[in-house]
Amino acid sequence: MSSFRLSNDAVGMLNLVTFLFSIPILLVGILLGNDPAVTDCERFLYKPLILVGVFLMLLSLTGFIGACCRVPGLLWVYLVFMFFLILAGVVFTIFAFVVTNKGAGQLLSGKGYKEYRLGDYSNWLQKRVNNDGNWNKIKSCLAESKICTDLNYRFHNDTHEEFQKEPLNGLQSGCCKPSNECDFMYGSPTFWIEENGVYKNPDCKAWDNDHNVLCFDCQSCKAGVLDNIQNSWKKVGRINVICLILLILVYSVGCCAFRNIMTDDHTDYRRGLQP
């Protein structure tokens, strides 16, 4: 009975903590998703929070009731969902590491930032940003985020030499300024004077000083977006490994609790048959 209580109490406690954790996730997703000050792009990011919150709440309630109230049917459902959750986590983690294994910014001599080439990234990621529908949505989000406006405000007083030493990220380098190969005359971080010449890099012709255009149609901007996604996915992949270890431990304890309930019920049944 002691092992029964230990495993069941452990599953119940873990799921109680998960249930309490799901409440703020759900509330944040609902409140921010309905905030009129939030842009459509930001609102799109908060929608998954609502789904995650609801899923965690239902799953934790199922595990808690199944373990603490000795309901083997609910505990079995809980373990099935946990199994597929672990399986999905393993598949996604492997996929994330494989997809993000290729591609990185190119270091430039004497520059604080890197430049990015779309062809350096995996074909799967390239197809995502080369889709016109996807890219139009991404461009709209980039314009709404004011990332280039903030860059211009932050470094507006820089000379050309000073600006070239600034540690720009992939989005700032790829989307907010023309490529170094264009050799445009510097006016400000987001204002460059095009000089007459033949440009091998098609991004040079795509550049426009309009803050709603800039280099949002450049291949370097797509590469900068992929670099940002790639860095995020690598971080998520590392966190997933830790989460998977914890999920496997919880799943193992849950299996012990399920086995103990079934064994205990079977023992009670046999005792009931005895005269």
Side-chain angles (χ1 to χ4, degrees), residues 4 7 17 59 87 91 94 101 115 119 124 127 148 167 174-175 203-204 225 229 232 243:
F4 168 78
S7 58
V17 172
L59 184 65
L87 182 63
V91 171
I94 294 173
N101 190 46
E115 290 212 328
W124 188 86
K127 288 179 181 178
C148 296
C175 305
D203 284 355
C204 300
V225 168
I229 293 173
S232 298
C243 291

Coordinates of all heavy atoms in Angstrom, one line a residue, residues 4 7 17 59 87 91 94 101 115 119 124 127 148 167 174-175 203-204 225 229 232 243:
F4 N 1.8 2.1 -3.4 CA 0.6 2.6 -4.1 C 0.4 4.1 -3.8 O 0.2 4.9 -4.6 CB -0.7 1.8 -3.6 CG -2.0 2.4 -4.0 CD1 -2.4 2.4 -5.3 CD2 -2.7 3.1 -3.1 CE1 -3.7 2.9 -5.7 CE2 -3.9 3.7 -3.5 CZ -4.4 3.6 -4.8
S7 N 3.3 6.5 -5.4 CA 3.2 6.8 -6.8 C 1.9 7.6 -7.1 O 2.0 8.5 -7.9 CB 3.2 5.4 -7.6 OG 2.1 4.6 -7.2
V17 N 0.2 20.7 -9.7 CA 1.1 21.8 -10.0 C 0.9 22.2 -11.5 O 0.8 23.4 -11.8 CB 2.5 21.4 -9.8 CG1 3.5 22.5 -10.3 CG2 2.8 21.2 -8.3
L59 N -5.6 17.8 -19.4 CA -4.7 16.7 -19.1 C -4.4 16.5 -17.7 O -4.4 15.4 -17.1 CB -3.4 16.8 -20.0 CG -2.4 15.7 -19.9 CD1 -3.1 14.4 -20.5 CD2 -1.1 16.0 -20.7
L87 N 5.9 11.3 -27.7 CA 6.3 10.9 -29.0 C 6.3 12.1 -29.9 O 7.3 12.3 -30.7 CB 5.2 9.9 -29.6 CG 5.5 9.4 -31.0 CD1 6.8 8.6 -31.0 CD2 4.3 8.5 -31.5
V91 N 9.7 13.7 -31.9 CA 9.7 13.9 -33.4 C 10.0 15.4 -33.6 O 10.8 15.7 -34.5 CB 8.3 13.6 -34.0 CG1 8.3 14.0 -35.4 CG2 8.1 12.1 -33.9
I94 N 13.8 16.3 -32.9 CA 14.7 15.8 -33.9 C 14.6 16.6 -35.2 O 15.6 17.0 -35.8 CB 14.4 14.3 -34.2 CG1 14.7 13.4 -33.0 CG2 15.2 13.8 -35.4 CD1 14.3 12.0 -33.1
N101 N 20.2 22.7 -38.6 CA 21.6 22.4 -38.6 C 22.4 23.1 -39.6 O 23.6 23.1 -39.6 CB 21.7 20.8 -38.7 CG 23.1 20.4 -38.5 OD1 23.7 20.7 -37.5 ND2 23.6 19.5 -39.4
E115 N 26.1 39.3 -42.6 CA 25.2 39.3 -43.7 C 24.7 37.9 -44.0 O 25.4 36.9 -43.7 CB 25.8 40.0 -44.9 CG 26.1 41.5 -44.7 CD 25.9 42.3 -46.0 OE1 26.2 41.7 -47.1 OE2 25.5 43.5 -45.9
G119 N 20.3 31.0 -49.6 CA 20.7 29.7 -50.0 C 21.5 28.9 -49.0 O 21.7 27.7 -49.1
W124 N 13.8 23.2 -46.7 CA 12.4 23.2 -46.1 C 12.1 24.6 -45.6 O 11.0 25.1 -45.8 CB 12.4 22.2 -44.9 CG 11.0 22.1 -44.4 CD1 10.0 21.2 -44.8 CD2 10.4 22.8 -43.3 NE1 8.8 21.4 -44.1 CE2 9.1 22.3 -43.1 CE3 10.9 23.8 -42.4 CZ2 8.2 22.8 -42.1 CZ3 10.0 24.3 -41.5 CH2 8.7 23.8 -41.3
K127 N 11.5 27.1 -48.5 CA 10.2 27.0 -49.1 C 9.2 27.7 -48.4 O 8.2 28.3 -48.9 CB 9.8 25.5 -49.2 CG 10.6 24.7 -50.3 CD 10.2 23.3 -50.3 CE 11.0 22.5 -51.4 NZ 10.6 21.0 -51.4
C148 N 12.8 48.2 -37.7 CA 13.7 49.1 -38.4 C 13.6 50.5 -37.9 O 14.6 51.3 -37.9 CB 13.4 49.0 -39.9 SG 13.7 47.4 -40.7
P167 N 26.4 45.8 -33.4 CA 26.1 44.3 -33.5 C 24.6 44.1 -33.8 O 23.8 43.8 -33.0 CB 26.4 43.9 -32.0 CG 26.1 45.1 -31.2 CD 26.5 46.3 -32.1
G174 N 19.4 42.1 -42.3 CA 18.9 41.6 -43.5 C 17.7 42.4 -44.1 O 17.5 42.5 -45.3
C175 N 16.9 43.1 -43.2 CA 15.7 43.7 -43.6 C 15.8 45.3 -43.5 O 15.0 45.9 -44.2 CB 14.5 43.3 -42.7 SG 14.3 41.5 -42.7
D203 N 19.3 42.2 -54.5 CA 18.7 42.9 -53.4 C 19.0 44.4 -53.5 O 18.2 45.2 -52.9 CB 19.4 42.4 -52.1 CG 18.8 41.0 -51.7 OD1 17.9 40.6 -52.3 OD2 19.3 40.5 -50.7
C204 N 20.0 44.8 -54.2 CA 20.3 46.3 -54.4 C 19.2 47.0 -55.1 O 18.9 48.1 -54.8 CB 21.6 46.4 -55.2 SG 23.1 45.7 -54.4
V225 N 15.1 36.5 -41.4 CA 14.0 35.9 -40.7 C 14.3 34.4 -40.4 O 14.0 34.0 -39.3 CB 12.7 36.0 -41.6 CG1 11.6 35.1 -41.0 CG2 12.3 37.4 -41.7
I229 N 14.4 32.6 -36.8 CA 13.6 31.3 -36.5 C 14.5 30.2 -36.1 O 14.2 29.5 -35.1 CB 12.8 30.9 -37.8 CG1 11.7 32.0 -38.1 CG2 12.2 29.5 -37.6 CD1 11.0 31.7 -39.4
S232 N 15.7 30.6 -32.6 CA 14.6 30.3 -31.6 C 14.3 28.8 -31.5 O 14.1 28.3 -30.4 CB 13.3 31.0 -32.1 OG 13.5 32.4 -32.1
C243 N 12.3 19.0 -21.1 CA 10.9 18.7 -20.8 C 10.6 17.3 -21.1 O 9.8 16.7 -20.4 CB 10.0 19.6 -21.7 SG 10.1 21.4 -21.3

